[in-house]
């Protein structure tokens, strides 16, 4: 590259006040553009209007002005000095970094456009996310509502099945009733699963962290499944390692749910052999212990591809699985979500026609203290007798009324049954009751509205315990009922034993 | 008198277009002066000056239009650029909030540097927004917008420069 001569990178000219070039003093930069007796505005249009405004005897600097010369563009700095009759114009700093600046400028432009595109895409994504969230919320709301609506008739089905089975029946009818109750219970599991999944999806799953006994959870599972087991050809085996501490911090209900879902799934697909449930210690630190739960069956097993899909919702491996084995295919999806919520891991190992093992790894915080509240009060039911108690029942559903009346009659309770909140309000103003059982969704006045007017019937029922009998069992619903003054909630569908036990608790 | 001499004797008014980079100042000038538009974006370096003769109230005026390189939000424009300026237009991009969110401060700065009392405010790229979205922008901008333009669709560009010309004569 030939270096530019100094005279080629600047030019100094003199003009009069009208902008006519009167002298070229030095330099040769853009020499062809600066012609004596011609206007300087042709080559320096930015000086038009500027020269007139200059102050006398003061240097004035204009930076980064664009000048064309020989069809090239230059960025230059201009220094101006206004004398009594003339103006000195020095054009210099012909920038040799123009190309680099141009390149940088282009890069800036590229970034600018990418940024704009990303911003636009983000807005679009945000809109789509909102639409998806709304659709998901709607779905969860719909599922929750439908599950609730199903629970009420289900309560009647299970209640009547229980009532019929307590009568003297011939073998055939007893068998039919048992099947009816079993189908009802299966339906309840499905409804509970749907509710659980919608709750998890809506981000409403709140895990508790309390002192729990893993061994006790496994023992409870053992009792539940031994009681439910129908296939004599399948042995149920449970074992827990001795190294497992007595207590860890966790959510007992959800751990039980994980195990119960896995065991129930294994039993469904095992015709002969065994379903073994074991818990072992995987690793341990001073503060944490990682446990591995394994549920192994000798069932039909599955292929690798099936194993990959098994934790998806509504997934059952064979087309007629849900017809033969029941269920909506939500159990493992729920297990998957629950384990993830506990920051754990769930995986499966399986061999076709040999069997399947599900593994769940979860870390638990250790706890040395034994909290006394953990030892829940065991209600000594024998001590409480409902005989002769005066109980008010408000429920608009005749079927539910019949079931409640039947159960309470067996306990020799004096029962007053009314159809809505308004009637209950009148009764409570007129007489004192030992317990009041209130349905929530009643015409005229809901159970909640009635409780809000508690002060109006406090003269006769200030200390009367109220129990909500409802299918609304979401955590926030229960909390709201308790805040309103309910002593507890009997959730539909209920068994006779649950129902009685719940009433007895309020007399403790 | 030949045309060149006529032009030289005409009233020349220096006007400036300022605003963030990428708002379309150069596009507005190109549309107004050359009636051209290009989707390509070439950022302006330094200052380019374009000329256009306009007729305002039966008087021919030569506008010296300074296309000042776009700035970032808090970047200052050199005060020297404003010497002898008769009017200035602040341009923002209606589709980019960052170009008008500090409009009040930017305008205050331009007024201080130029000594001009009134600055014409123009929101460009109106073709990128719907009528409803434009209404939202107008609500968001605390100051009175003089014109919403589209250099691409040639909407209100002439009017914006005529408003600027009117300012030069006040």
């Amino acid at each position: 590259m030939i270096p530019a001569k100094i005279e080629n990178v600047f030019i100094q000219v003199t003009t009069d006040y009208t902008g006519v070039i009167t002298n070229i003093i030095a330099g040769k930069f853009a020499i062809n553009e600066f012609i004596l007796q011609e206007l300087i505005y042709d080559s320096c249009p930015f000086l038009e209007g500027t020269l007139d405004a200059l102050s006398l005897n003061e240097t004035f600097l204009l930076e980064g002005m664009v000048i064309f010369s020989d069809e090239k563009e230059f960025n230059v700095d201009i220094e101006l000095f206004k004398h009594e009759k003339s103006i000195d114009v020095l054009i210099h700093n012909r920038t040799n970094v123009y190309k680099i600046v141009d390149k940088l400028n282009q890069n800036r432009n590229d970034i600018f456009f990418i940024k704009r595109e990303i911003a636009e895409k983000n807005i679009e994504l945000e809109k789509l996310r909102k639409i998806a969230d709304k659709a998901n919320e709607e779905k969860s709301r719909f599922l929750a509502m439908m599950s609730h609506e199903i629970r009420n008739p289900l309560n009647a089905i299970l209640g009547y099945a229980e009532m019929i089975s307590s009568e003297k029946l011939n073998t055939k009818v007893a068998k039919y009733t048992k099947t009816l109750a079993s189908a009802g219970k299966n339906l309840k599991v499905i409804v509970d699963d749907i509710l659980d999944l919608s709750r998890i999806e809506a981000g409403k799953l709140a895990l508790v962290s309390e002192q729990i006994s893993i061994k006790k959870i496994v023992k409870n599972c053992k009792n539940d499944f031994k009681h439910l087991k129908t296939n004599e050809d399948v042995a149920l085996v449970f074992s827990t390692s001795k190294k497992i501490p007595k207590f860890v911090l966790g959510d007992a209900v959800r751990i039980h749910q994980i195990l119960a879902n896995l065991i129930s799934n294994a039993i469904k697909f095992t015709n002969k052999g065994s379903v073994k449930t074991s818990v072992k210690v995987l690793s341990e630190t001073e503060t944490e212990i990682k446990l591995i739960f394994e549920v192994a069956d000798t069932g039909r097993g599955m292929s690798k591809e099936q194993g990959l899909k098994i934790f998806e919702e509504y997934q059952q491996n064979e087309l007629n699985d849900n017809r033969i084995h029941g269920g909506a295919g939500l159990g493992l999806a729920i297990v998957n979500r629950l384990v993830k919520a506990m920051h754990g891991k769930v995986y499966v190992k399986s061999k076709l026609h040999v069997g399947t093992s599900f593994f769940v790894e979860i870390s638990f915080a250790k706890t040395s203290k034994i909290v006394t509240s953990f030892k829940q009060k065991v209600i000594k039911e024998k001590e409480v007798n409902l005989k002769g108690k005066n109980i008010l029942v408000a429920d608009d559903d005749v079927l539910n009324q019949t079931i409640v009346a039947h159960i309470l009659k067996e306990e020799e309770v004096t029962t007053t049954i009314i159809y809505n909140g308004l009637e209950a309000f009148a009764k409570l103003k007129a007489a004192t009751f030992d317990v009041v059982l209130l349905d929530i969704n009643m015409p005229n006045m809901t159970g909640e509205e009635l409780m809000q007017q508690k002060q109006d019937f406090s003269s006769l029922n200030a200390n009367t315990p109220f129990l909500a009998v409802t299918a609304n069992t979401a955590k926030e619903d229960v909390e709201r009922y308790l805040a309103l003054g309910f002593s507890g909630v009997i959730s539909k569908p209920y068994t006779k034993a649950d129902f009685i036990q719940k009433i007895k608790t309020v007399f403790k | 008198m030949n045309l060149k001499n006529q032009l030289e004797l005409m009233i020349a008014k220096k006007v400036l277009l300022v605003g963030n980079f990428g708002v379309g100042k150069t596009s507005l000038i190109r549309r107004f002066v050359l009636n051209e538009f290009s989707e390509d974006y070439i950022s302006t370096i330094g200052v380019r000056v374009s000329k256009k003769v306009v007729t305002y109230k039966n008087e021919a005026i030569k506008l010296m239009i300074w296309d000042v390189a776009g700035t970032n939000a808090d970047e200052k424009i050199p005060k020297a650029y404003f010497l002898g300026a008769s009017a200035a237009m602040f341009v923002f991009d209606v589709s980019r909030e960052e170009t008008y969110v500090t409009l009040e401060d930017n305008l205050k700065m331009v007024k201080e540097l130029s000594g001009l009392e009134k600055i014409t405010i123009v929101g460009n790229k109106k073709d990128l927004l719907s009528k409803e979205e434009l209404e939202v922008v107008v609500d968001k901008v605390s100051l009175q917008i003089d014109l919403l333009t589209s250099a691409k669709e040639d909407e209100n560009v002439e009017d914006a420069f005529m408003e600027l010309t009117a300012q030069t004569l006040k």
Side-chain angles (χ1 to χ4, degrees), chain A residues 393-397 400-401 417-420 439 442 469 492:
Chain A
V393 179
D395 196 326
D396 63 314
D397 189 316
N400 282 335
Q401 278 183 10
I417 294 182
I418 37 99
Y419 291 84
N420 60 51
D439 179 24
M442 288 187 292
V469 185
K492 290 177 188 172

Side-chain angles (χ1 to χ4, degrees), chain B residues 12-18 25 28-29 32-33 50 52 54-56 61-67 82 85-91 107 110 114 116 118-122 146-147 149 156-170:
Chain B
K13 292 287 181 188
K14 175 178 168 180
V15 296
L16 279 87
L17 265 70
V18 293
K25 299 181 292 294
L28 282 169
I29 295 169
F32 179 60
V33 177
S50 308
K52 170 134 178 169
V54 294
T55 307
Y56 183 79
I61 298 162
K62 184 164 64 174
L63 283 184
M64 311 297 303
I65 308 165
W66 284 46
D67 181 7
F82 291 99
S86 303
M89 182 192 288
F90 187 92
V91 185
L107 226 66
V110 173
S114 65
L116 295 166
K118 158 98 174 120
I119 308 292
T120 305
I121 303 172
V122 167
D146 291 295
L147 277 152
T149 59
N156 298 335
V157 179
E158 184 93 19
D159 291 349
F161 279 95
M162 291 320 286
E163 171 63 32
L164 196 61
T165 309
Q167 286 302 324
T168 66
L169 298 172
K170 278 181 185 167

Side-chain angles (χ1 to χ4, degrees), chain A residues 41-55:
Chain A
Y41 304 144
D42 292 338
S43 49
C44 303
F46 45 82
L47 291 182
E48 195 166 0
T50 304
L51 292 186
D52 309 335
L54 288 172
S55 301

Side-chain angles (χ1 to χ4, degrees), chain A residues 246-416:
Chain A
K246 199 169 184 184
F247 296 110
V248 290
L249 290 178
D251 189 323
V253 174
R254 297 302 178 181
I255 295 285
H256 183 276
Q257 191 178 6
I258 291 169
L259 281 180
N261 275 349
L262 291 178
I263 296 165
S264 137
N265 187 65
I267 292 172
K268 263 188 214 172
F269 298 103
T270 308
N271 294 326
K272 207 173 176 184
S274 64
V275 172
K276 290 179 185 169
T277 304
S278 67
V279 194
K280 289 173 193 159
V281 176
L282 200 64
S283 62
E284 195 173 357
T285 65
E286 253 181 52
T287 52
E288 266 191 3
I289 186 158
K290 193 183 227 182
L291 301 181
I292 181 163
F293 300 80
E294 182 184 355
V295 177
D297 65 55
T298 54
R300 70 182 189 205
M302 58 188 147
S303 67
K304 210 172 180 181
E305 292 73 32
Q306 287 170 331
L308 292 172
K309 288 183 185 172
I310 198 77
F311 294 109
E312 291 173 13
E313 292 93 348
Y314 315 107
Q315 189 63 44
Q316 292 194 328
N317 280 335
E318 289 178 16
L319 278 178
N320 58 358
D321 271 354
N322 62 344
R323 287 205 300 274
I324 296 171
H325 304 290
L330 291 174
L332 291 179
I334 291 169
V335 167
N336 191 25
R337 305 281 178 104
L338 288 174
V339 172
K340 273 188 185 161
M342 292 177 189
H343 308 293
K345 199 163 96 176
V346 58
Y347 52 96
V348 62
K349 285 181 185 170
S350 186
K351 216 169 179 184
L352 260 179
H353 315 301
V354 175
T356 303
S357 289
F358 282 93
F359 298 89
V360 173
E361 292 175 17
I362 300 171
S363 290
F364 296 91
K366 286 181 178 175
T367 172
S368 51
K369 285 182 265 174
I370 298 170
V371 182
T372 45
S373 66
F374 177 74
K375 293 182 175 175
Q376 288 178 345
K377 279 184 187 173
V378 179
I379 298 149
K380 293 173 185 169
E381 287 172 34
K382 281 176 190 168
E383 286 175 17
V384 181
N385 194 342
L386 296 182
K387 188 179 175 184
K389 298 283 184 198
N390 192 12
I391 298 182
L392 176 70
V393 179
D395 196 326
D396 63 314
D397 189 316
V398 181
L399 294 176
N400 282 335
Q401 278 183 10
T402 316
I403 295 165
V404 172
H406 177 83
I407 296 172
L408 292 179
K409 193 182 169 191
E410 285 191 347
E411 297 291 318
E412 296 182 60
V413 167
T414 309
T415 313
T416 308

